[in-house]
Amino acid sequence: FRLALIQLHVSAVKSDNLQRACGLVREASAKGAKVVALPECFNSPYGTQYFKEYAENIPGESTQKLSEVAKECSIYLVGGSIPEEDGGKLYNTCTVFGPDGAMVAKHRKVHLFDINIPGKIQFKESETLSPGNSFSMFDTPYCKVGLGICYDLRFAEMAQIYGQKGCQLLIYPGAFNLTTGPAHWELLQRGRAVDNQVYVATVSPARDEKASYVAWGHSTVVNPWGEVIAKAGAEETVIYTDIDLKKLAEIRQQIPILSQKRCDLYGIEMKK
């Protein structure tokens, strides 16, 4: 099946972001994509100072638009992420809509991005956001898909559990920056893909040098052999790749690590 990743240029005007995102979703569908994904924080600028101002309830304006365009195009739409307000708390939340427009998954970012690299970047999502507390998977007629958001990619255990639960594609809307992007963006994706013999897709906003937080871009798809099979540059674009589950099955047969794990010696478990 064809997967499309929309590397959207995100502005400060929410209505413009929604309109452009929906237009690119239609374009991706017209080119045969059955699963389409948007980037992290696709409806608002990324930054702790913006989350409260742009936050919405779910359902709300942005998710309503995602539901409508998923139904119109008869696709699975991974709605990047938006700042979500619920019960006085804010979350970084990804919603997924099916071909009938119904919400099939909702993932709140589990690991909050609190880092301090002296002289490079300091950022603390936990100043405004609360963490999610659950894994998020959804079924399609093609395969089972696991979800993470940005910093979740760094936690190998999460991807391993998705693999154990039968996911063959992991999708991470994310916005790495100009420090961590060149260092780890592709490396982490290739690691997650090889460790679990799954496809890994990451969807970044396009780079905006004038933004307070500058995203690395380079939305990417990696196959279960660890090869980069599609990669964007820094600009707004849509990249396409065909997910070949036959190739995935062949790789798992040739190097059967999943059945060779020594579960008598070690294990990773999902606690809730």
Side-chain angles (χ1 to χ4, degrees), residues 28 32 34 63 67 72-73 109 112 126 128 142 147 150 155 164 178 196 203 213 218 232 234 243 249 265 272:
K34 299 299 182 190
T63 52
S67 168
E72 175 192 329
C73 297
K109 189 173 189 174
L112 296 183
S126 65
T128 51
Y142 323 110
L147 294 173
C150 200
F155 297 85
Q164 288 172 2
L178 300 189
N196 303 292
V203 203
Y213 179 96
H218 297 293
I243 302 296
L265 293 179
K272 65 178 188 176

Side-chain angles (χ1 to χ4, degrees), residues 78-140:
V78 178
S81 80
I82 66 169
E84 177 199 6
E85 195 279 322
D86 183 33
K89 291 184 175 181
L90 297 178
Y91 302 91
N92 188 342
T93 303
C94 174
T95 53
V96 183
F97 295 89
D100 60 354
M103 188 164 73
V104 297
K106 182 169 99 165
H107 179 73
R108 288 172 170 168
K109 189 173 189 174
V110 170
H111 303 93
L112 296 183
F113 181 58
D114 287 6
I115 68 162
N116 184 8
I117 303 173
K120 299 275 190 175
I121 183 167
Q122 183 173 2
F123 201 91
K124 200 167 184 186
E125 274 189 330
S126 65
E127 286 174 352
T128 51
L129 298 180
S130 296
N133 292 312
S134 62
F135 293 84
S136 308
M137 296 163 262
F138 64 97
D139 288 302
T140 74

Side-chain angles (χ1 to χ4, degrees), residues 241-252:
T241 190
D242 292 317
I243 302 296
D244 184 353
L245 298 172
K246 188 162 168 278
K247 183 178 179 71
L248 180 147
E250 286 170 359
I251 289 167
R252 290 184 173 187

Side-chain angles (χ1 to χ4, degrees), residues 158-211:
M158 194 169 178
Q160 191 170 331
I161 283 170
Y162 282 142
Q164 288 172 2
K165 296 291 181 184
C167 295
Q168 295 176 303
L169 167 64
L170 307 183
I171 299 179
Y172 295 89
F176 274 40
N177 53 69
L178 300 189
T179 299
T180 60
H184 301 144
W185 179 245
E186 184 182 305
L187 175 68
L188 287 164
Q189 295 168 62
R190 295 181 70 189
R192 299 296 85 89
V194 171
D195 280 351
N196 303 292
Q197 296 179 322
V198 294
Y199 283 90
V200 174
T202 55
V203 203
S204 172
R207 190 179 305 170
D208 178 359
E209 302 282 0
K210 300 188 209 73

Side-chain angles (χ1 to χ4, degrees), residues 7-8 185 202 204-207 215-220 230-239:
Q7 186 163 287
L8 185 73
W185 179 245
T202 55
S204 172
R207 190 179 305 170
W216 171 237
H218 297 293
S219 300
T220 303
K231 188 170 190 173
E235 70 291 339
E236 179 171 279
T237 188
V238 183
I239 61 169

